[in-house]
Amino acid sequence: MKLTIEGETLELLPEHAVHWASTGILLISDLHWGKAETFQQHGIPVPASILETELERLSVLIERLAPSQVVILGDLIHSAQGTTREVAQTVARRLGQWTQGSHLKFTLILGNHDRKLDHLPASWPIETRTGPMLRGPFSFVHEPAEVPSDHYGFCGHLHPTVLLQGGHDRLRLPCFHVGRRFMVLPAFSHFTRGLIQSKAPGERVFAVAGPSVIEI
Amino acid sequence: MPIVWSASAGSSVPERHRESAIGRIETWFKRRDWDPFPFQREAWNASRSGRSGLIHVATGAGKTYAALMGPLSRMIDDLESRFPKLGLQLLYITPIKALSRDIESAILSTVNDLGLPFSVETRTGDTSAHRKARQKNRLPSVLITTPESLTLLLSHPESTRTFRNLHSIVVDEWHELLGTKRGVQLELALSRLRAMTPGISTWALTATLSHLEEAARAVAGTQTSSPPVILRSADFPPPLLRTLLPSGGAPPLPWAGRLGLSRLEDLLRELDPAQSTLIFTNTRFQAERWYREILETKPDFESILAIHHGSLDAAERERVERGLKAGSLKWVVATSSLDLGVDFGPVEKVLQIGSPKSIARVLQRAGRSGHRPGARSELVFVPTQSLELLEIDAVRRAILEKIIEPRPTLSAPLDVLTQHLVNCAAGPGFRPDELFEEVRGTWSYRALTRKEFDWVLKLVTEGGDLLGAYPEYHRVVLRHGRCEITDRRMAQLHRMNLGTLGSNSEIEVKFQRGKRLGTLEENYASRLKTGDRFIFAGRVLEVVRLAENSLHVKLSSGPLTQAPRWSGGRLPLSSTLSEALRSSMAAASAEGEGQAAGFSAEIKCLQPLLHLQAKLSHLPGAQELLAETCTTREGFHLFLYPFEGRLVHEGLASLLAYRIGKQSPTTFSLAANDYGIEFVSSDPLPYALLLGPLLFNPEHLDRDIQSSLNLGELSKRQFRDIARISGLVFRQYPGRFKSLRQVQSSASLLFDVFTDHDPGNLLLEQAKREVLEQNFERIRLQATLARMKASTLIVRAVQRPTPFGFPLMLERLSTRLSTETLASRIEKMKAHWTAAS
């Protein structure tokens, strides 16, 4: 699903990502790496294979689009204690594969979950920044409230979903919530469930329905 | 280690004292001019010789004394020994917290009358922290408690010492627990007690139950040296059942609807301010509405009118119970919260508004009246819609034939076992081999395999197969062959979330000054806005504000803007009653004048409607299956009337939809009630195909039900309770454990995660099995399909919904199920969807 915002063409991907092809930027948000491990430490037996699956999904996307920069709109990790040595190693290995021999750069806009960690593991080649990142007409932030007034914003944090009701059917799907001043991306992680968003006038909602993105 | 004990091992009573203890009790009875019933004496003797069993008698027939005096006589004997026992000797378990105080005072007055030095106390969720702390040091000689509080006691490391002198356990209202996860949890707790203190004698008290052998086995465990004793009182006199038919000149009963407020005038004529009357409804919402209607029509009687249901504040419920006992309250509108009770003494009349739902419920509710010896209980039905007349006729037939619903026991639910393992680990700890034998000694887990047990063990010690040897997973620690909880926080979290009851979070409703009224479900309460007016606790309330965990309200008199709702309030018609209903229907539809003379008043009253059904469509006979087709603005309808009860119909509807969908993808809307099924589709339905014998084929039934389930959300919904009981999601956690906010998740999300990453997870399997066995009653579904196939199918095209079809149309929409691809489903929904907030 392609959209034109501020004269730029952006593609909303069913992989819960936004591709800005002309600059080679891939936007993703709310990955929550180490969430399963956080649960495990609290005695909740959530499968450990979740992280691998999530990394594999990102891997496929990077391979297909070959972006020059992946911008993560916050909440890369879930918690400090969930970022275990095993998690750090697993992620570092993947990051190594993706960046090896390419100019691919990872940038993280720190989100509220990321701030629980003083710094990312040293083995992760990821640049971090606290404030908004500006690029052309756009700004990249974590929460909607951080969007600067003079740049159209891309953010995450809310894990938006939409509840569809029609006739006698009902479905809850992750969605891109496109407003006048900013767009909220769905959480990249499948191990999240977010708020149900309602649509205000002038806003557009694009739901991820299996392999396609459909405007609601 | 199997627990084997003999009659003599269980009794430490020297023979020469036996007469004296029983003698004292006999004298006590004599002083009251009571003569013990034979079953009471039998129970005393059996209990004194250490045996276990079950006492099955009508409410108010003296089962409490039957169960109490045996253990008490052993305690009296013990007083004469050189070192009388200290601490707990008799444990009395009641499923209903509200009854514990009544039981306590009944036992206490007996103990005092007999001049015995025993302490009698209660321990439930309502017991003060101060008293609980004192009890922690030493429990009273007689403790009255609930299954949950007992499990909690077992979760403390010192419990081995606490129970070392326990010799008798009485489980009251066993039918309330049997066949539920609460009951299974109690079975496990009892098995733990038997392992800690061998030789305990366990007795269950019950009314209205069939399959007594199984019920007795479940309470006594399967390891007893002699089979449990089953005692009954003399025959129950069947209750009188009467129906308030519409009075002369009044319009006939409506075709649909469950609230029944149009019956107000008729009901009021039955009420007498001098006669204490229970007015039973089927849901809390219905109770609230009826209470208001009666109050508004008869404002002068406000002081003698009250409402009672499970969401009201405990203090208010107790006030109503006391008022009823004392005779100051006369008319009480109630739900099943008043089905049970020690003895409400002066209840003179019992009314039932709406469908009777089950035979057991009718017996239970009728039993609330006529508590005097020899008095016959009576129940007056107030039907709210026409077809309920048929149900009442069916109930009467069943009671005359002494048919009552069985309570099938659950087979080895692994979520409850998971909680039990953690509970044992939080307590004194356990050795896996010993605990396996112990658990296998319960009725519910008698067929548990070592593989299943080990799976659960691995889940709590290592987080299951998929975590591998994850070093930081430490819910339960296996050390030197013993399983224990070493993290105090884990133990505390477990205790706060213990139990198998209700998964809905609740919001407290209170006045601004602080008086508590009761609770509403969070889902409902969170949708209320300031200024909204709704009825609750018999009052019109206006929302002032919604605070963190409470809804602040004030009294109001304005018009209502909201109706309070509670989820899951609606019971289906029991399968036993459904069967009786089909007989009643067949009898009513039988031709011939001679027949009509023998009809009950209810069937006679229903005749005009049955004639209309016959005229517009058809009245199915015993060997017939009726289907109707109809086209309306809504779409293309198909009605099918197997008369098997809502649960079977829901299963049948999903199954048929799935099988149709395999041939031509389309989206249906399905509705099911106790009488039949409705399909609606915006496409013309392939009726010929649908009704073909192919769809009634019982072959591959399991596979097809499974497949249709995967499409539905049913297992996911079922998983909610399983996730909570097995400790995957927490309902409560201590506020100071802030880090726990990171692990808040929903059961449905975990369900998705497990489905993707761990499809072999046995808890997922359990969710599926529970949906199949409980919700759909698989075996009955198979029988239903076979019966339908053998019946003559009658298909009628009708112009408008018939008396049978009309209620279904009004009840539409409980299940959504689709066989289309996601994209085409969304395309279709686009036509009229709303992106709801």
Side-chain angles (χ1 to χ4, degrees):
Chain A
M1 173 67 69
K2 287 199 169 114
L3 280 186
T4 306
I5 299 173
E6 305 281 335
E8 294 289 330
T9 304
L10 296 144
E11 191 175 6
L12 310 185
L13 302 169
E15 290 87 356
H16 301 199
V18 173
H19 191 212
W20 187 8
S22 66
T23 57
I25 289 181
L26 179 67
L27 295 169
I28 50 177
S29 186
D30 300 280
L31 284 74
H32 291 274
W33 287 343
K35 184 170 177 183
E37 289 71 15
T38 311
F39 274 59
Q40 290 159 7
Q41 283 171 22
H42 286 84
I44 305 169
V46 177
S49 51
I50 290 176
L51 180 62
E52 272 299 338
T53 316
E54 299 269 319
L55 287 168
E56 183 56 28
R57 282 176 46 230
L58 185 54
S59 199
V60 169
L61 196 58
I62 288 172
E63 207 161 294
R64 181 159 67 83
L65 299 172
S68 60
Q69 187 175 13
V70 175
V71 178
I72 299 151
L73 305 174
D75 291 356
L76 175 69
I77 60 148
H78 187 66
S79 72
Q81 71 268 45
T83 316
T84 60
R85 220 178 48 213
E86 290 80 2
V87 169
Q89 282 169 358
T90 309
V91 171
R93 209 164 36 239
R94 287 286 189 156
L95 284 167
Q97 286 166 11
W98 296 332
T99 51
Q100 184 148 40
S102 82
H103 297 292
L104 176 58
K105 207 169 109 184
F106 282 86
T107 306
L108 166 68
I109 317 293
L110 290 172
N112 51 317
H113 279 265
D114 302 314
R115 294 192 189 104
K116 291 170 187 165
L117 209 60
D118 293 335
H119 51 82
L120 293 181
S123 56
W124 295 6
I126 297 178
E127 170 202 51
T128 59
R129 31 192 319 163
T130 43
M133 170 178 164
L134 305 179
R135 188 61 55 91
F138 299 136
S139 64
F140 305 135
V141 297
H142 179 55
E143 294 183 37
E146 298 160 0
V147 175
S149 57
D150 50 355
H151 285 76
Y152 188 89
F154 288 81
C155 53
H157 185 60
L158 300 175
H159 312 174
T161 61
V162 65
L163 187 69
L164 302 184
Q165 292 175 324
H168 310 308
D169 215 349
R170 227 168 106 102
L171 264 179
R172 185 169 169 175
L173 300 171
C175 69
F176 296 87
H177 194 137
V178 183
R180 287 182 223 256
R181 283 190 50 240
F182 59 86
M183 148 185 328
V184 189
L185 271 69
F188 186 78
S189 166
H190 283 185
F191 187 27
T192 57
R193 188 139 303 173
L195 298 171
I196 293 174
Q197 302 292 312
S198 52
K199 192 167 67 166
E203 294 179 349
R204 299 171 74 184
V205 170
F206 299 87
V208 178
S212 47
V213 174
I214 300 173
E215 177 155 19
I216 306 301
Chain B
M1 184 188 73
I3 307 136
V4 181
W5 47 274
S6 64
S8 58
S11 163
S12 59
V13 180
E15 192 60 35
R16 64 195 159 83
H17 290 303
R18 286 200 173 178
E19 277 310 304
S20 65
I22 285 294
R24 272 171 91 168
I25 288 161
E26 291 270 3
T27 313
W28 182 77
F29 264 75
K30 219 166 277 163
R31 273 214 313 272
R32 284 177 159 60
D33 271 345
W34 290 347
D35 192 16
F37 295 112
F39 81 89
Q40 290 179 318
R41 287 207 176 95
E42 279 176 61
W44 302 345
N45 288 333
S47 146
R48 282 176 64 79
S49 60
R51 292 188 70 176
S52 295
L54 178 134
I55 303 172
H56 181 243
V57 293
T59 325
K63 59 183 159 68
T64 312
Y65 288 125
L68 184 64
M69 293 309 189
L72 218 50
S73 75
R74 285 175 69 175
M75 291 164 69
I76 296 171
D77 286 331
D78 179 65
L79 283 175
E80 320 242 323
S81 71
R82 266 183 53 186
F83 301 106
K85 291 190 172 90
L86 295 173
L88 183 68
Q89 296 190 61
L90 168 60
L91 191 59
Y92 195 106
I93 295 157
T94 169
I96 298 144
K97 199 163 62 177
L99 295 186
S100 56
R101 239 173 0 92
D102 289 334
I103 296 161
E104 181 188 326
S105 60
I107 296 178
L108 195 59
S109 77
T110 309
V111 165
N112 287 342
D113 269 13
L114 283 160
L116 300 170
F118 305 132
S119 51
V120 181
E121 286 179 18
T122 300
R123 185 189 177 97
T124 68
D126 294 343
T127 306
S128 69
H130 167 73
R131 185 179 250 208
K132 275 185 186 161
R134 188 163 50 73
Q135 286 174 346
K136 206 173 168 185
N137 278 331
R138 179 181 296 170
L139 284 174
S141 326
V142 180
L143 182 73
I144 298 113
T145 191
T146 59
E148 287 72 25
S149 289
L150 172 62
T151 304
L152 203 51
L153 277 172
L154 288 168
S155 77
H156 292 281
E158 65 276 10
S159 57
T160 321
R161 191 170 50 83
T162 312
F163 294 105
R164 70 170 185 275
N165 284 330
L166 178 68
H167 55 72
S168 302
I169 301 172
V170 176
V171 182
D172 206 353
E173 314 273 10
W174 181 224
H175 54 277
E176 271 296 297
L177 295 166
L178 201 65
T180 68
K181 288 187 180 173
R182 275 186 98 194
V184 173
Q185 186 171 47
L186 180 60
E187 280 184 59
L188 289 169
L190 294 178
S191 76
R192 195 97 254 258
L193 290 174
R194 283 184 203 113
M196 284 177 178
T197 316
I200 294 174
S201 131
T202 315
W203 286 82
L205 305 180
T206 178
T208 58
L209 198 63
S210 61
H211 295 70
L212 297 181
E213 299 281 341
E214 197 177 315
R217 276 280 169 210
V219 81
T222 59
Q223 309 285 309
T224 53
S225 56
S226 50
V229 182
I230 294 172
L231 297 171
R232 307 159 209 252
S233 62
D235 244 0
F236 297 44
L240 294 167
L241 304 179
R242 182 157 66 85
T243 302
L244 274 192
L245 300 169
S247 46
L253 290 173
W255 285 7
R258 265 176 268 126
L259 200 51
L261 292 175
S262 65
R263 306 299 320 277
L264 181 67
E265 285 302 315
D266 290 322
L267 181 122
L268 288 176
R269 268 194 290 280
E270 275 293 311
L271 296 182
D272 176 350
Q275 213 180 21
S276 71
T277 307
L278 290 182
I279 304 157
F280 280 113
T281 61
N282 285 330
T283 64
R284 286 168 277 194
F285 173 64
Q286 197 180 18
E288 291 278 358
R289 288 298 308 272
W290 269 93
Y291 173 83
R292 289 300 303 177
E293 290 294 318
I294 296 172
L295 184 66
E296 276 160 25
T297 329
K298 298 258 181 188
D300 297 349
F301 293 96
E302 182 166 9
S303 63
I304 62 162
L305 178 65
I307 178 168
H308 191 288
H309 62 70
S311 291
L312 297 179
D313 191 57
E316 173 62 12
R317 276 179 302 178
E318 280 168 29
R319 184 189 72 83
V320 174
E321 287 157 24
R322 275 196 309 274
L324 196 56
K325 249 177 272 184
S328 58
L329 288 175
K330 290 296 185 188
W331 303 340
V332 179
V333 184
T335 63
S336 49
S337 61
L338 274 187
D339 275 6
L340 305 159
V342 175
D343 193 350
F344 286 107
V347 172
E348 289 156 285
K349 183 178 264 180
V350 179
L351 300 173
Q352 160 73 36
I353 300 174
S355 165
K357 300 294 184 188
S358 80
I359 302 153
R361 170 178 266 204
V362 168
L363 290 172
Q364 190 80 45
R365 291 188 168 179
R368 306 266 21 109
S369 74
H371 264 191
R372 281 154 295 120
R376 209 170 155 189
S377 53
E378 186 192 39
L379 189 127
V380 182
F381 286 106
V382 187
T384 59
Q385 55 157 294
S386 303
L387 287 173
E388 280 169 10
L389 292 168
L390 206 57
E391 297 177 20
I392 298 164
D393 184 74
V395 167
R396 187 180 291 116
R397 282 161 182 272
I399 288 177
L400 284 179
E401 287 170 33
K402 301 198 179 195
I403 295 168
I404 187 166
E405 288 83 8
R407 275 277 192 149
T409 47
L410 302 175
S411 58
L414 296 186
D415 53 347
V416 184
L417 184 61
T418 306
Q419 196 184 97
H420 182 64
L421 257 56
V422 178
N423 202 58
C424 293
F430 64 89
R431 289 183 186 282
D433 289 351
E434 288 170 11
L435 193 68
F436 176 63
E437 288 303 324
E438 205 180 299
V439 167
R440 286 256 298 187
T442 64
W443 177 260
S444 290
Y445 294 96
R446 64 193 184 283
L448 181 78
T449 63
R450 184 66 202 226
K451 217 175 134 201
E452 288 169 311
F453 181 85
D454 285 342
W455 187 87
V456 173
L457 186 68
K458 197 163 184 190
L459 186 75
V460 300
T461 52
E462 292 172 23
D465 291 331
L466 293 177
L467 265 62
Y470 186 72
E472 295 190 61
Y473 187 86
H474 44 66
R475 191 165 167 202
V476 170
V477 178
L478 180 62
R479 215 169 35 186
H480 311 305
R482 265 190 100 70
C483 286
E484 284 166 357
I485 289 187
T486 48
D487 185 343
R488 208 179 48 82
R489 222 175 45 153
M490 284 287 160
Q492 196 177 349
L493 193 61
H494 163 74
R495 288 188 195 110
M496 285 190 84
N497 289 281
L498 187 146
T500 58
L501 287 170
S503 56
N504 289 317
S505 32
E506 309 245 290
I507 292 272
E508 194 156 73
V509 183
K510 54 179 165 186
F511 283 130
Q512 283 168 289
R513 284 201 187 145
K515 182 183 156 66
R516 287 179 303 186
L517 293 168
T519 55
L520 284 174
E521 282 169 14
E522 191 178 359
N523 281 347
Y524 172 73
S526 61
R527 280 199 295 269
L528 291 172
K529 294 184 292 292
T530 302
D532 272 350
R533 284 180 295 272
F534 62 103
I535 51 169
F536 182 71
R539 300 163 167 99
V540 179
L541 302 173
E542 187 176 319
V543 178
V544 178
R545 67 194 172 90
L546 179 64
E548 181 100 3
N549 276 317
S550 55
L551 185 73
H552 295 262
V553 296
K554 62 180 184 190
L555 280 180
S556 172
S557 53
L560 300 178
T561 60
Q562 292 281 333
R565 265 177 223 298
W566 288 272
S567 59
R570 211 148 62 83
L571 272 180
L573 209 61
S574 79
S575 51
T576 311
L577 184 51
S578 300
E579 202 177 324
L581 184 75
R582 289 198 301 277
S583 317
S584 282
M585 168 70 94
S589 65
E591 298 284 321
E593 287 302 305
Q595 212 79 34
F599 286 163
S600 64
E602 290 85 12
I603 297 293
K604 280 179 190 150
C605 180
L606 191 59
Q607 283 294 318
L609 177 130
L610 295 177
H611 286 315
L612 185 63
Q613 171 70 29
K615 201 176 108 192
L616 293 176
S617 166
H618 181 74
L619 203 54
Q623 304 301 321
E624 290 175 333
L625 172 68
L626 175 64
E628 292 168 351
T629 62
C630 183
T631 307
T632 70
R633 261 189 324 187
E634 279 188 284
F636 300 86
H637 304 251
L638 171 72
F639 297 93
L640 194 65
Y641 308 106
F643 287 93
E644 285 276 0
R646 201 180 78 224
L647 290 184
V648 168
H649 292 160
E650 280 175 359
L652 201 56
S654 308
L655 175 70
L656 295 185
Y658 171 75
R659 286 180 168 182
I660 292 168
K662 276 205 296 196
Q663 312 199 353
S664 60
T666 175
T667 296
F668 297 105
S669 167
L670 304 172
N673 69 6
D674 286 323
Y675 313 126
I677 301 162
E678 182 198 17
F679 295 76
V680 198
S681 174
S682 31
D683 303 322
L685 276 168
Y687 295 126
L689 196 68
L690 176 69
L691 298 171
L694 169 74
L695 288 165
F696 300 131
N697 188 354
E699 259 177 61
H700 306 303
L701 178 64
D702 272 6
R703 197 196 59 195
D704 286 358
I705 291 175
Q706 289 269 9
S707 308
S708 66
L709 274 184
N710 287 343
L711 290 171
E713 294 272 291
L714 288 156
S715 337
K716 200 189 253 190
R717 241 184 282 161
Q718 192 75 22
F719 191 69
R720 264 188 233 161
D721 282 342
I722 292 173
R724 200 180 47 70
I725 293 170
S726 52
L728 300 179
V729 294
F730 305 119
R731 192 166 36 162
Q732 292 186 54
Y733 56 91
R736 63 178 188 282
F737 298 168
K738 277 219 182 97
S739 69
L740 282 167
R741 285 186 27 201
Q742 299 163 1
V743 293
Q744 286 292 82
S745 77
S746 67
S748 66
L749 179 56
L750 288 178
F751 183 89
D752 291 343
V753 165
F754 287 137
T755 307
D756 288 348
H757 293 266
D758 187 12
N761 191 305
L762 293 184
L763 294 174
L764 289 182
E765 287 296 310
Q766 189 191 335
K768 267 186 218 160
R769 200 178 61 221
E770 283 181 10
V771 168
L772 282 176
E773 286 176 359
Q774 296 161 38
N775 294 26
F776 287 166
E777 305 182 49
R778 175 173 43 172
I779 296 151
R780 263 186 78 207
L781 200 50
Q782 246 148 356
T784 301
L785 286 167
R787 190 179 65 77
M788 283 165 58
K789 199 177 167 193
S791 304
T792 310
L793 180 68
I794 313 260
V795 186
R796 290 278 192 272
V798 295
Q799 293 305 307
R800 59 189 176 90
T802 61
F804 285 3
F806 192 66
L808 267 167
M809 285 197 59
L810 289 190
E811 285 189 34
R812 176 98 36 79
L813 270 178
S814 40
T815 314
R816 275 162 293 272
L817 188 118
S818 174
T819 55
E820 288 175 295
T821 63
L822 198 59
S824 69
R825 234 169 114 191
I826 291 171
E827 281 308 314
K828 193 166 276 181
M829 281 160 73
K830 257 187 172 173
H832 43 177
W833 68 24
T834 50
S837 54

